[in-house]
Amino acid sequence: MKARMRRPALLVAVTLAAACGRPEAPAAEAEAAPAVETAQAMDTERGGVSLSDLDRSVTTARAMREMPGAVDSILAANGFTRPGFDSLMYAIAADSALARAYTESIR
């Protein structure tokens, strides 16, 4: 039972660490594009996560980092519920290539 809880806890910790990173400069958004292009060079859909879902998750995470008091509004504006967004984060974290693309894009 303890081992079953370790992996999800680790995935959540990695996702939160990536989302709570240092503040980004406007130029950093331009640098994030190569990571998304790298992900596009992979399959159009991996593990049930499309590239548009990856892009939406990055946009949503950035907005939540900038305005932590408006999380529910940000999720709704991007078409997510809290459980839906969590599920997408787990799916991205489960695929090493998508996780790398997400991490590079979120910086």
Side-chain angles (χ1 to χ4, degrees):
M1 180 84 170
K2 193 174 191 180
R4 290 179 64 194
M5 295 301 294
R6 211 176 287 156
R7 183 173 180 184
L10 177 62
L11 294 174
V12 169
V14 168
T15 302
L16 288 174
C20 296
R22 62 188 158 191
E24 60 186 81
E29 290 180 20
E31 293 172 0
V36 174
E37 290 171 8
T38 302
Q40 289 173 345
M42 299 181 294
D43 301 328
T44 358
E45 190 170 312
R46 296 179 57 104
V49 178
S50 68
L51 292 178
S52 64
D53 288 341
L54 181 66
D55 291 339
R56 280 189 324 143
S57 68
V58 169
T59 302
T60 304
R62 284 180 179 165
M64 288 190 304
R65 182 172 42 193
E66 291 175 15
M67 298 182 295
V71 169
D72 289 326
S73 299
I74 292 167
L75 288 171
N78 287 290
F80 289 115
T81 61
R82 282 182 184 246
F85 187 71
D86 289 345
S87 176
L88 179 60
M89 291 289 97
Y90 278 110
I92 290 171
D95 185 310
S96 61
L98 286 174
R100 185 173 27 259
Y102 175 84
T103 302
E104 291 174 7
S105 296
I106 201 73
R107 289 187 182 157

Coordinates of all heavy atoms in Angstrom, one line a residue:
M1 N 0.8 -1.2 0.0 CA 0.0 0.0 0.0 C 0.9 1.3 0.0 O 0.6 2.2 -0.7 CB -0.9 0.0 1.2 CG -1.8 1.2 1.3 SD -3.3 0.9 0.3 CE -4.2 2.2 0.8
K2 N 1.9 1.2 0.8 CA 2.8 2.4 0.9 C 3.5 2.7 -0.5 O 3.6 3.8 -0.8 CB 3.9 2.1 2.0 CG 4.6 3.3 2.4 CD 5.5 3.0 3.5 CE 6.1 4.2 4.1 NZ 7.0 3.9 5.2
A3 N 3.8 1.6 -1.2 CA 4.5 1.8 -2.5 C 3.5 2.4 -3.5 O 3.9 3.1 -4.4 CB 5.0 0.5 -3.0
R4 N 2.2 2.1 -3.4 CA 1.2 2.6 -4.3 C 1.1 4.1 -4.1 O 0.7 4.8 -5.1 CB -0.1 1.9 -4.1 CG -0.1 0.5 -4.5 CD -1.4 -0.2 -4.3 NE -2.4 0.4 -5.1 CZ -3.7 0.3 -4.9 NH1 -4.1 -0.5 -3.9 NH2 -4.6 0.9 -5.6
M5 N 1.3 4.6 -3.0 CA 1.2 6.1 -2.7 C 2.4 6.9 -3.0 O 2.4 8.1 -3.2 CB 0.8 6.3 -1.2 CG -0.5 5.7 -0.8 SD -1.9 6.4 -1.8 CE -1.8 8.1 -1.2
R6 N 3.5 6.2 -3.1 CA 4.8 6.9 -3.3 C 4.9 7.5 -4.7 O 5.3 8.7 -4.8 CB 6.0 5.9 -3.1 CG 7.2 6.5 -2.6 CD 8.3 5.5 -2.3 NE 7.9 4.8 -1.1 CZ 8.4 3.6 -0.8 NH1 9.2 2.9 -1.6 NH2 8.0 2.9 0.3
R7 N 4.5 6.8 -5.7 CA 4.6 7.3 -7.1 C 3.7 8.5 -7.3 O 4.2 9.5 -7.8 CB 4.4 6.2 -8.1 CG 4.6 6.7 -9.5 CD 4.5 5.6 -10.5 NE 4.7 6.2 -11.8 CZ 4.6 5.6 -12.9 NH1 4.3 4.3 -12.9 NH2 4.8 6.2 -14.1
P8 N 2.4 8.4 -7.0 CA 1.6 9.6 -7.2 C 2.1 10.8 -6.4 O 2.0 11.9 -6.9 CB 0.2 9.2 -6.7 CG 0.2 7.7 -6.9 CD 1.6 7.3 -6.6
A9 N 2.6 10.6 -5.2 CA 3.1 11.7 -4.4 C 4.3 12.3 -5.1 O 4.5 13.5 -5.1 CB 3.4 11.2 -3.0
L10 N 5.1 11.5 -5.6 CA 6.3 12.0 -6.3 C 5.9 12.8 -7.6 O 6.5 13.8 -7.8 CB 7.2 10.8 -6.7 CG 8.5 11.2 -7.5 CD1 9.4 12.1 -6.7 CD2 9.2 9.9 -7.9
L11 N 5.0 12.3 -8.3 CA 4.5 13.0 -9.5 C 3.9 14.3 -9.2 O 4.2 15.3 -9.9 CB 3.5 12.1 -10.3 CG 4.0 10.8 -10.9 CD1 2.9 10.0 -11.5 CD2 5.1 11.1 -11.9
V12 N 3.1 14.4 -8.1 CA 2.6 15.6 -7.7 C 3.7 16.6 -7.3 O 3.7 17.8 -7.6 CB 1.6 15.4 -6.5 CG1 1.2 16.7 -5.9 CG2 0.3 14.7 -7.1
A13 N 4.7 16.1 -6.5 CA 5.8 17.0 -6.1 C 6.6 17.5 -7.2 O 6.9 18.7 -7.3 CB 6.7 16.2 -5.1
V14 N 6.8 16.7 -8.3 CA 7.6 17.1 -9.4 C 6.7 18.2 -10.2 O 7.3 19.2 -10.6 CB 7.9 15.9 -10.3 CG1 8.4 16.4 -11.7 CG2 8.9 15.1 -9.7
T15 N 5.5 17.9 -10.3 CA 4.6 18.9 -11.0 C 4.5 20.2 -10.3 O 4.6 21.3 -10.9 CB 3.2 18.3 -11.2 OG1 3.3 17.1 -11.9 CG2 2.3 19.3 -12.0
L16 N 4.4 20.2 -9.0 CA 4.3 21.4 -8.2 C 5.7 22.2 -8.3 O 5.7 23.4 -8.3 CB 3.9 21.1 -6.8 CG 2.5 20.7 -6.6 CD1 2.2 20.3 -5.1 CD2 1.6 21.9 -7.0
A17 N 6.8 21.4 -8.2 CA 8.1 22.1 -8.3 C 8.3 22.8 -9.6 O 8.8 23.9 -9.7 CB 9.2 21.0 -8.1
A18 N 7.8 22.1 -10.7 CA 7.9 22.8 -12.0 C 7.0 24.0 -12.1 O 7.4 25.0 -12.6 CB 7.6 21.8 -13.1
A19 N 5.8 23.9 -11.5 CA 4.8 25.0 -11.6 C 5.2 26.2 -10.7 O 4.9 27.3 -11.0 CB 3.4 24.5 -11.2
C20 N 5.9 25.9 -9.6 CA 6.3 26.9 -8.7 C 7.7 27.4 -8.8 O 8.4 27.9 -7.9 CB 6.1 26.4 -7.2 SG 4.4 26.0 -6.9
G21 N 8.3 27.2 -10.0 CA 9.6 27.7 -10.3 C 9.8 29.2 -10.2 O 8.9 29.9 -9.9
R22 N 11.0 29.6 -10.6 CA 11.3 31.0 -10.6 C 10.4 31.8 -11.6 O 10.0 31.2 -12.6 CB 12.7 31.2 -10.8 CG 13.1 30.8 -12.2 CD 14.6 30.8 -12.4 NE 14.7 29.8 -13.5 CZ 15.8 29.3 -14.0 NH1 16.9 29.7 -13.4 NH2 15.9 28.5 -14.9
P23 N 10.2 33.1 -11.3 CA 9.4 33.9 -12.2 C 10.1 34.0 -13.6 O 11.3 34.0 -13.7 CB 9.3 35.3 -11.6 CG 9.9 35.1 -10.2 CD 10.6 33.8 -10.2
E24 N 9.3 34.0 -14.6 CA 9.9 34.0 -15.9 C 9.8 35.4 -16.5 O 8.9 36.2 -16.3 CB 9.1 33.1 -16.9 CG 7.7 33.4 -17.0 CD 7.0 32.3 -17.8 OE1 6.7 31.2 -17.2 OE2 6.8 32.5 -19.0
A25 N 10.8 35.7 -17.4 CA 10.8 36.9 -18.1 C 10.0 36.8 -19.4 O 9.9 35.7 -19.9 CB 12.3 37.3 -18.4
P26 N 9.6 37.9 -20.0 CA 8.9 37.8 -21.3 C 9.7 37.0 -22.4 O 9.1 36.3 -23.2 CB 8.6 39.2 -21.7 CG 8.7 40.0 -20.4 CD 9.7 39.2 -19.5
A27 N 11.0 37.1 -22.4 CA 11.8 36.4 -23.4 C 11.7 34.9 -23.2 O 12.0 34.2 -24.1 CB 13.2 36.9 -23.3
A28 N 11.4 34.5 -22.0 CA 11.4 33.0 -21.7 C 10.3 32.4 -22.5 O 10.4 31.2 -22.8 CB 11.2 32.8 -20.2
E29 N 9.2 33.1 -22.8 CA 8.1 32.5 -23.5 C 8.6 32.1 -24.9 O 8.2 31.1 -25.5 CB 6.9 33.4 -23.6 CG 6.2 33.6 -22.2 CD 5.1 34.5 -22.3 OE1 4.5 34.8 -23.4 OE2 4.7 35.0 -21.2
A30 N 9.4 32.9 -25.5 CA 9.9 32.7 -26.8 C 10.8 31.4 -26.8 O 10.9 30.7 -27.8 CB 10.7 33.9 -27.4
E31 N 11.5 31.3 -25.7 CA 12.4 30.1 -25.6 C 11.6 28.8 -25.4 O 12.1 27.7 -25.6 CB 13.4 30.3 -24.4 CG 14.4 31.4 -24.7 CD 15.2 31.7 -23.4 OE1 15.0 31.1 -22.4 OE2 16.0 32.7 -23.5
A32 N 10.4 28.9 -24.9 CA 9.6 27.7 -24.6 C 9.1 27.1 -25.9 O 8.8 25.9 -26.0 CB 8.4 28.1 -23.8
A33 N 9.0 27.8 -27.0 CA 8.5 27.3 -28.3 C 9.3 26.1 -28.8 O 8.7 25.1 -29.3 CB 8.5 28.4 -29.3
P34 N 10.6 26.0 -28.7 CA 11.3 24.8 -29.2 C 10.9 23.6 -28.4 O 10.9 22.5 -29.1 CB 12.8 25.1 -28.9 CG 12.9 26.6 -28.9 CD 11.6 27.1 -28.3
A35 N 10.6 23.7 -27.2 CA 10.2 22.5 -26.4 C 8.9 21.9 -27.0 O 8.7 20.7 -27.1 CB 10.1 22.8 -25.0
V36 N 7.9 22.8 -27.3 CA 6.7 22.4 -27.9 C 6.9 21.9 -29.3 O 6.3 20.8 -29.6 CB 5.7 23.6 -27.9 CG1 4.4 23.2 -28.6 CG2 5.3 24.0 -26.4
E37 N 7.8 22.5 -30.0 CA 8.1 21.9 -31.4 C 8.7 20.6 -31.3 O 8.4 19.7 -32.1 CB 9.0 22.9 -32.1 CG 8.3 24.2 -32.5 CD 9.2 25.2 -33.1 OE1 10.4 24.9 -33.3 OE2 8.8 26.4 -33.2
T38 N 9.5 20.3 -30.3 CA 10.1 19.0 -30.1 C 9.0 18.0 -29.8 O 9.0 16.9 -30.3 CB 11.1 19.0 -28.9 OG1 12.1 20.0 -29.2 CG2 11.7 17.7 -28.7
A39 N 8.1 18.4 -29.0 CA 6.9 17.5 -28.7 C 6.1 17.2 -29.9 O 5.6 16.1 -30.1 CB 6.1 18.1 -27.6
Q40 N 6.0 18.2 -30.8 CA 5.2 18.0 -32.0 C 6.0 17.1 -33.0 O 5.3 16.5 -33.8 CB 5.0 19.4 -32.7 CG 4.0 20.2 -31.9 CD 3.8 21.6 -32.5 OE1 4.7 22.1 -33.3 NE2 2.8 22.3 -32.1
A41 N 7.3 17.0 -32.9 CA 8.0 16.1 -33.7 C 7.7 14.7 -33.3 O 7.9 13.8 -34.1 CB 9.5 16.4 -33.6
M42 N 7.3 14.5 -32.1 CA 6.9 13.2 -31.6 C 5.5 12.9 -32.2 O 5.0 13.6 -33.0 CB 6.8 13.1 -30.1 CG 8.2 13.4 -29.5 SD 8.1 13.3 -27.7 CE 7.1 14.7 -27.3
D43 N 4.9 11.8 -31.8 CA 3.5 11.5 -32.2 C 2.6 12.7 -31.9 O 2.8 13.5 -31.0 CB 3.0 10.3 -31.5 CG 3.9 9.1 -31.7 OD1 4.5 9.0 -32.8 OD2 3.9 8.3 -30.8
T44 N 1.5 12.8 -32.7 CA 0.6 13.9 -32.4 C -0.2 13.6 -31.1 O -0.6 14.5 -30.5 CB -0.5 13.9 -33.5 OG1 -0.2 13.0 -34.5 CG2 -0.6 15.3 -34.1
E45 N -0.2 12.4 -30.7 CA -0.9 12.1 -29.5 C -0.1 10.9 -28.8 O 0.2 9.9 -29.4 CB -2.3 11.6 -29.7 CG -3.1 11.5 -28.5 CD -4.6 11.4 -28.8 OE1 -5.1 12.1 -29.6 OE2 -5.2 10.5 -28.2
R46 N 0.2 11.1 -27.6 CA 1.0 10.1 -26.8 C 0.3 9.8 -25.5 O 0.0 10.8 -24.8 CB 2.4 10.6 -26.5 CG 3.2 10.9 -27.7 CD 4.6 11.4 -27.3 NE 5.2 10.5 -26.4 CZ 6.2 9.7 -26.7 NH1 6.7 9.7 -28.0 NH2 6.8 8.9 -25.9
G47 N 0.0 8.6 -25.3 CA -0.6 8.2 -24.0 C -1.9 8.9 -23.7 O -2.2 9.1 -22.6
G48 N -2.7 9.2 -24.8 CA -4.0 9.9 -24.6 C -3.9 11.4 -24.4 O -4.9 12.0 -24.2
V49 N -2.7 11.9 -24.4 CA -2.5 13.4 -24.3 C -2.1 14.0 -25.6 O -1.1 13.6 -26.2 CB -1.4 13.7 -23.2 CG1 -1.1 15.2 -23.1 CG2 -1.7 13.1 -21.9
S50 N -3.0 14.8 -26.1 CA -2.7 15.5 -27.4 C -1.8 16.7 -27.1 O -1.6 17.2 -26.0 CB -4.0 15.9 -28.1 OG -4.6 17.0 -27.3
L51 N -1.2 17.2 -28.2 CA -0.3 18.4 -28.0 C -1.1 19.6 -27.7 O -0.6 20.5 -27.0 CB 0.5 18.6 -29.3 CG 1.5 17.5 -29.6 CD1 2.2 17.8 -30.9 CD2 2.5 17.4 -28.5
S52 N -2.4 19.7 -28.1 CA -3.2 20.8 -27.7 C -3.4 20.7 -26.2 O -3.5 21.8 -25.5 CB -4.5 20.9 -28.5 OG -5.3 19.7 -28.2
D53 N -3.6 19.5 -25.6 CA -3.8 19.4 -24.2 C -2.5 19.8 -23.5 O -2.5 20.5 -22.4 CB -4.1 17.9 -23.8 CG -5.5 17.5 -24.2 OD1 -6.3 18.4 -24.4 OD2 -5.7 16.3 -24.3
L54 N -1.3 19.5 -24.0 CA -0.1 19.9 -23.4 C 0.1 21.4 -23.4 O 0.4 22.0 -22.4 CB 1.1 19.3 -24.2 CG 2.5 19.6 -23.7 CD1 2.7 19.0 -22.3 CD2 3.6 19.1 -24.6
D55 N -0.3 22.0 -24.6 CA -0.2 23.5 -24.7 C -1.2 24.1 -23.7 O -0.9 25.1 -23.0 CB -0.6 23.9 -26.1 CG 0.5 23.6 -27.1 OD1 1.6 23.3 -26.7 OD2 0.2 23.5 -28.3
R56 N -2.4 23.6 -23.6 CA -3.4 24.1 -22.6 C -2.9 24.0 -21.2 O -3.1 24.9 -20.4 CB -4.8 23.4 -22.8 CG -5.6 23.9 -23.9 CD -7.0 23.4 -23.9 NE -7.1 22.0 -23.4 CZ -8.2 21.6 -22.7 NH1 -9.1 22.4 -22.4 NH2 -8.2 20.3 -22.3
S57 N -2.3 22.8 -20.9 CA -1.8 22.6 -19.5 C -0.7 23.6 -19.2 O -0.7 24.2 -18.0 CB -1.3 21.2 -19.3 OG -0.2 21.0 -20.0
V58 N 0.2 23.9 -20.1 CA 1.2 24.9 -19.9 C 0.6 26.3 -19.7 O 1.0 27.0 -18.7 CB 2.3 24.9 -21.1 CG1 3.2 26.1 -21.0 CG2 3.0 23.6 -21.1
T59 N -0.3 26.7 -20.5 CA -1.0 28.0 -20.4 C -1.7 28.1 -19.1 O -1.6 29.1 -18.4 CB -2.0 28.2 -21.6 OG1 -1.3 28.1 -22.8 CG2 -2.7 29.5 -21.5
T60 N -2.4 27.1 -18.7 CA -3.1 27.1 -17.4 C -2.2 27.1 -16.3 O -2.4 27.9 -15.3 CB -4.0 25.8 -17.3 OG1 -4.9 25.7 -18.5 CG2 -4.8 25.8 -16.1
A61 N -1.1 26.3 -16.3 CA -0.2 26.4 -15.1 C 0.5 27.7 -15.0 O 0.7 28.2 -13.9 CB 0.9 25.3 -15.3
R62 N 0.9 28.3 -16.1 CA 1.5 29.7 -16.0 C 0.5 30.7 -15.4 O 0.9 31.5 -14.6 CB 1.9 30.1 -17.4 CG 3.1 29.5 -17.9 CD 3.5 30.0 -19.3 NE 4.7 29.4 -19.8 CZ 5.1 29.4 -21.1 NH1 4.3 30.1 -21.9 NH2 6.2 28.9 -21.4
A63 N -0.7 30.6 -15.9 CA -1.7 31.6 -15.4 C -2.0 31.3 -13.9 O -2.1 32.3 -13.1 CB -3.0 31.4 -16.1
M64 N -2.0 30.1 -13.4 CA -2.2 29.8 -12.0 C -1.1 30.2 -11.2 O -1.2 30.7 -10.1 CB -2.5 28.3 -11.8 CG -3.8 27.8 -12.3 SD -4.3 26.1 -11.9 CE -2.9 25.2 -12.5
R65 N 0.1 30.2 -11.8 CA 1.3 30.6 -11.0 C 1.3 32.1 -10.9 O 1.7 32.7 -9.8 CB 2.6 30.2 -11.8 CG 3.9 30.6 -11.1 CD 5.1 30.1 -11.7 NE 5.1 30.1 -13.2 CZ 5.9 29.5 -14.0 NH1 6.8 28.8 -13.5 NH2 5.8 29.6 -15.3
E66 N 0.8 32.9 -11.9 CA 0.7 34.3 -11.8 C -0.4 34.8 -10.9 O -0.3 35.9 -10.3 CB 0.6 34.9 -13.2 CG 1.8 34.7 -14.1 CD 1.6 35.2 -15.5 OE1 0.6 35.9 -15.8 OE2 2.4 34.8 -16.4
M67 N -1.5 34.1 -10.9 CA -2.7 34.5 -10.1 C -3.2 33.3 -9.3 O -4.3 32.8 -9.6 CB -3.8 35.0 -11.1 CG -3.4 36.2 -11.9 SD -4.7 36.9 -12.9 CE -4.9 35.6 -14.1
P68 N -2.5 33.0 -8.2 CA -2.9 31.8 -7.4 C -4.3 32.0 -6.8 O -5.0 31.0 -6.5 CB -1.9 31.7 -6.4 CG -1.1 33.0 -6.4 CD -1.3 33.6 -7.7
G69 N -4.8 33.1 -6.6 CA -6.1 33.3 -6.0 C -7.3 33.1 -7.0 O -8.5 33.0 -6.6
A70 N -7.0 32.9 -8.2 CA -8.0 32.7 -9.3 C -8.0 31.4 -9.9 O -8.3 31.2 -11.1 CB -7.9 33.9 -10.3
V71 N -7.5 30.4 -9.2 CA -7.3 29.1 -9.8 C -8.6 28.5 -10.4 O -8.5 28.0 -11.6 CB -6.7 28.1 -8.7 CG1 -6.7 26.7 -9.2 CG2 -5.3 28.5 -8.4
D72 N -9.7 28.5 -9.7 CA -10.9 27.9 -10.3 C -11.3 28.7 -11.5 O -11.8 28.0 -12.5 CB -12.0 28.0 -9.2 CG -11.8 27.0 -8.1 OD1 -11.2 25.9 -8.4 OD2 -12.2 27.3 -6.9
S73 N -11.2 30.0 -11.6 CA -11.6 30.7 -12.8 C -10.7 30.4 -13.9 O -11.1 30.3 -15.1 CB -11.5 32.2 -12.5 OG -12.4 32.6 -11.5
I74 N -9.4 30.3 -13.6 CA -8.4 29.9 -14.7 C -8.7 28.6 -15.3 O -8.7 28.3 -16.5 CB -7.0 30.1 -14.1 CG1 -6.7 31.5 -13.8 CG2 -6.0 29.5 -15.1 CD1 -5.4 31.7 -13.0
L75 N -8.9 27.6 -14.4 CA -9.2 26.2 -14.8 C -10.5 26.2 -15.7 O -10.5 25.6 -16.8 CB -9.4 25.3 -13.6 CG -8.2 25.0 -12.9 CD1 -8.5 24.2 -11.6 CD2 -7.2 24.1 -13.7
A76 N -11.5 26.9 -15.3 CA -12.8 27.0 -16.1 C -12.6 27.7 -17.4 O -13.1 27.2 -18.4 CB -13.9 27.7 -15.3
A77 N -11.8 28.7 -17.4 CA -11.5 29.4 -18.7 C -10.8 28.6 -19.7 O -10.9 28.8 -20.9 CB -10.8 30.7 -18.4
N78 N -10.0 27.6 -19.2 CA -9.2 26.8 -20.1 C -9.9 25.4 -20.3 O -9.3 24.5 -20.8 CB -7.8 26.6 -19.5 CG -7.0 27.8 -19.7 OD1 -6.6 28.2 -20.8 ND2 -6.7 28.5 -18.6
G79 N -11.1 25.3 -19.8 CA -11.9 24.1 -20.0 C -11.5 22.9 -19.1 O -11.7 21.8 -19.5
F80 N -11.0 23.2 -17.9 CA -10.6 22.1 -17.0 C -11.5 22.2 -15.7 O -12.0 23.2 -15.4 CB -9.1 22.3 -16.6 CG -8.1 22.0 -17.6 CD1 -7.3 23.0 -18.1 CD2 -8.0 20.7 -18.1 CE1 -6.4 22.7 -19.1 CE2 -7.0 20.4 -19.1 CZ -6.2 21.4 -19.6
T81 N -11.5 21.1 -15.1 CA -12.0 21.0 -13.7 C -10.7 20.6 -12.9 O -9.7 20.2 -13.5 CB -13.1 19.9 -13.5 OG1 -12.5 18.6 -13.8 CG2 -14.3 20.1 -14.3
R82 N -10.8 20.8 -11.6 CA -9.6 20.4 -10.8 C -9.2 18.9 -11.0 O -8.1 18.7 -11.2 CB -9.8 20.7 -9.3 CG -9.7 22.2 -9.0 CD -9.9 22.4 -7.5 NE -9.9 23.8 -7.2 CZ -8.9 24.4 -6.5 NH1 -8.0 23.7 -6.0 NH2 -8.9 25.7 -6.3
P83 N -10.2 18.0 -10.9 CA -9.8 16.6 -11.1 C -9.3 16.3 -12.6 O -8.4 15.6 -12.8 CB -11.1 15.8 -10.8 CG -11.9 16.7 -10.0 CD -11.6 18.1 -10.4
G84 N -9.9 17.0 -13.5 CA -9.5 16.9 -14.9 C -8.1 17.4 -15.1 O -7.3 16.7 -15.8
F85 N -7.7 18.5 -14.5 CA -6.4 19.0 -14.7 C -5.4 18.1 -14.0 O -4.3 17.9 -14.5 CB -6.3 20.5 -14.1 CG -5.0 21.2 -14.4 CD1 -4.7 21.6 -15.7 CD2 -4.1 21.4 -13.4 CE1 -3.5 22.2 -15.9 CE2 -2.9 22.0 -13.6 CZ -2.6 22.4 -14.9
D86 N -5.7 17.7 -12.8 CA -4.8 16.7 -12.1 C -4.6 15.5 -12.9 O -3.5 15.0 -13.0 CB -5.4 16.3 -10.7 CG -5.4 17.5 -9.7 OD1 -4.7 18.5 -9.9 OD2 -6.1 17.4 -8.7
S87 N -5.7 15.0 -13.5 CA -5.5 13.8 -14.3 C -4.6 14.0 -15.5 O -3.8 13.1 -15.8 CB -6.9 13.3 -14.8 OG -6.9 12.2 -15.7
L88 N -4.7 15.2 -16.1 CA -3.9 15.5 -17.3 C -2.4 15.6 -16.8 O -1.5 15.1 -17.5 CB -4.3 16.8 -17.9 CG -3.5 17.3 -19.1 CD1 -3.5 16.3 -20.2 CD2 -4.0 18.6 -19.6
M89 N -2.2 16.2 -15.6 CA -0.8 16.3 -15.1 C -0.2 14.9 -14.9 O 1.0 14.7 -15.2 CB -0.8 17.1 -13.8 CG -1.1 18.6 -14.0 SD 0.2 19.5 -14.8 CE -0.4 19.5 -16.5
Y90 N -1.0 14.0 -14.3 CA -0.5 12.6 -14.1 C -0.2 12.0 -15.5 O 0.8 11.3 -15.6 CB -1.5 11.8 -13.4 CG -1.5 12.0 -11.9 CD1 -2.6 12.6 -11.2 CD2 -0.4 11.5 -11.1 CE1 -2.5 12.8 -9.9 CE2 -0.4 11.7 -9.8 CZ -1.4 12.3 -9.1 OH -1.4 12.5 -7.8
A91 N -1.0 12.2 -16.5 CA -0.8 11.6 -17.8 C 0.5 12.2 -18.4 O 1.3 11.4 -19.0 CB -2.0 11.8 -18.7
I92 N 0.7 13.5 -18.3 CA 1.9 14.1 -18.8 C 3.1 13.6 -18.0 O 4.2 13.2 -18.6 CB 1.8 15.6 -18.7 CG1 0.8 16.1 -19.7 CG2 3.2 16.3 -19.0 CD1 0.5 17.6 -19.6
A93 N 3.0 13.5 -16.7 CA 4.2 13.0 -15.9 C 4.5 11.5 -16.2 O 5.7 11.1 -16.0 CB 3.9 13.2 -14.4
A94 N 3.5 10.8 -16.6 CA 3.8 9.3 -16.9 C 4.6 9.1 -18.2 O 5.2 8.1 -18.3 CB 2.4 8.6 -17.0
D95 N 4.6 10.1 -19.0 CA 5.4 10.0 -20.3 C 6.6 10.9 -20.2 O 6.5 12.1 -20.1 CB 4.5 10.4 -21.5 CG 5.1 10.2 -22.8 OD1 6.3 10.6 -23.0 OD2 4.5 9.6 -23.7
S96 N 7.8 10.3 -20.2 CA 9.0 11.1 -20.0 C 9.2 12.2 -21.0 O 9.7 13.2 -20.7 CB 10.2 10.1 -19.9 OG 10.4 9.5 -21.2
A97 N 8.9 11.9 -22.3 CA 9.0 12.9 -23.3 C 8.1 14.1 -23.1 O 8.5 15.2 -23.3 CB 8.8 12.3 -24.7
L98 N 6.8 13.8 -22.8 CA 5.9 14.8 -22.5 C 6.2 15.6 -21.3 O 6.1 16.8 -21.2 CB 4.4 14.2 -22.4 CG 3.8 13.8 -23.7 CD1 2.5 13.1 -23.4 CD2 3.6 15.0 -24.6
A99 N 6.7 14.9 -20.3 CA 7.1 15.5 -19.0 C 8.3 16.5 -19.3 O 8.3 17.6 -18.7 CB 7.5 14.5 -18.0
R100 N 9.2 16.1 -20.1 CA 10.3 16.9 -20.4 C 9.8 18.2 -21.2 O 10.3 19.3 -20.9 CB 11.4 16.2 -21.2 CG 12.6 16.9 -21.5 CD 13.7 16.1 -22.2 NE 13.3 15.0 -23.0 CZ 13.3 13.7 -22.6 NH1 13.8 13.4 -21.4 NH2 13.0 12.7 -23.4
A101 N 9.0 18.0 -22.2 CA 8.4 19.1 -23.0 C 7.7 20.0 -22.1 O 7.8 21.3 -22.2 CB 7.6 18.6 -24.1
Y102 N 6.9 19.5 -21.2 CA 6.1 20.3 -20.2 C 7.0 21.2 -19.4 O 6.9 22.4 -19.2 CB 5.2 19.5 -19.4 CG 4.4 20.3 -18.3 CD1 3.3 20.9 -18.6 CD2 4.9 20.3 -17.0 CE1 2.6 21.6 -17.7 CE2 4.3 21.1 -16.1 CZ 3.1 21.7 -16.4 OH 2.4 22.4 -15.4
T103 N 8.0 20.5 -18.8 CA 9.0 21.2 -17.9 C 9.7 22.3 -18.6 O 9.9 23.4 -18.1 CB 9.9 20.2 -17.3 OG1 9.2 19.1 -16.6 CG2 10.9 20.8 -16.3
E104 N 10.2 22.0 -19.8 CA 10.9 23.0 -20.6 C 10.0 24.2 -21.0 O 10.4 25.3 -21.0 CB 11.5 22.4 -21.8 CG 12.7 21.5 -21.5 CD 13.2 20.7 -22.8 OE1 12.7 21.0 -23.9 OE2 14.0 19.9 -22.6
S105 N 8.7 23.9 -21.3 CA 7.8 24.9 -21.7 C 7.3 25.8 -20.5 O 7.0 27.0 -20.7 CB 6.5 24.3 -22.3 OG 6.9 23.6 -23.5
I106 N 7.2 25.2 -19.3 CA 6.7 25.9 -18.2 C 7.7 26.9 -17.6 O 7.4 27.9 -16.9 CB 6.3 25.0 -17.1 CG1 5.3 25.6 -16.1 CG2 7.4 24.4 -16.3 CD1 3.9 25.9 -16.7
R107 N 9.0 26.8 -18.0 CA 10.0 27.7 -17.4 C 9.9 29.1 -17.9 O 9.5 29.5 -18.8 CB 11.4 27.2 -17.8 CG 11.8 26.0 -17.0 CD 13.2 25.5 -17.2 NE 13.4 24.3 -16.5 CZ 14.3 23.5 -16.8 NH1 15.1 23.6 -17.8 NH2 14.5 22.4 -16.0

